[in-house]
Amino acid sequence: MTTTLRPAAPLQREPDGTVRLRPYDICVNGRPVGSLSVGTAPGMGPTVGLLDGLTSRIIRAQ
């Protein structure tokens, strides 16, 4: 089983050019099973990270 993060959209930037968020699809064996946004924490500078909007989908064996 291989788990990967695939970019789901372009980087979202603040007006000053700093990176705010980037959404990712979480895939297992190439199939989407959830999503996550990774970015910087507002007001904390570019060295503080933020994980936001973690979702998952239920996978049923066939």
Side-chain angles (χ1 to χ4, degrees):
M1 183 179 336
T2 303
T3 303
T4 57
L5 294 177
R6 294 185 179 166
L11 292 171
Q12 299 174 8
R13 297 185 179 273
E14 294 291 337
D16 65 0
T18 58
V19 174
R20 175 66 181 103
L21 285 174
R22 183 165 198 171
Y24 289 88
D25 289 328
I26 302 168
C27 298
V28 174
N29 293 337
R31 295 183 177 137
V33 296
S35 62
L36 170 72
S37 290
V38 179
T40 55
M44 300 298 287
T47 60
V48 178
L50 174 71
L51 301 177
D52 189 33
L54 176 63
T55 64
S56 63
R57 297 181 189 104
I58 296 173
I59 302 174
R60 303 212 188 274
Q62 295 182 3

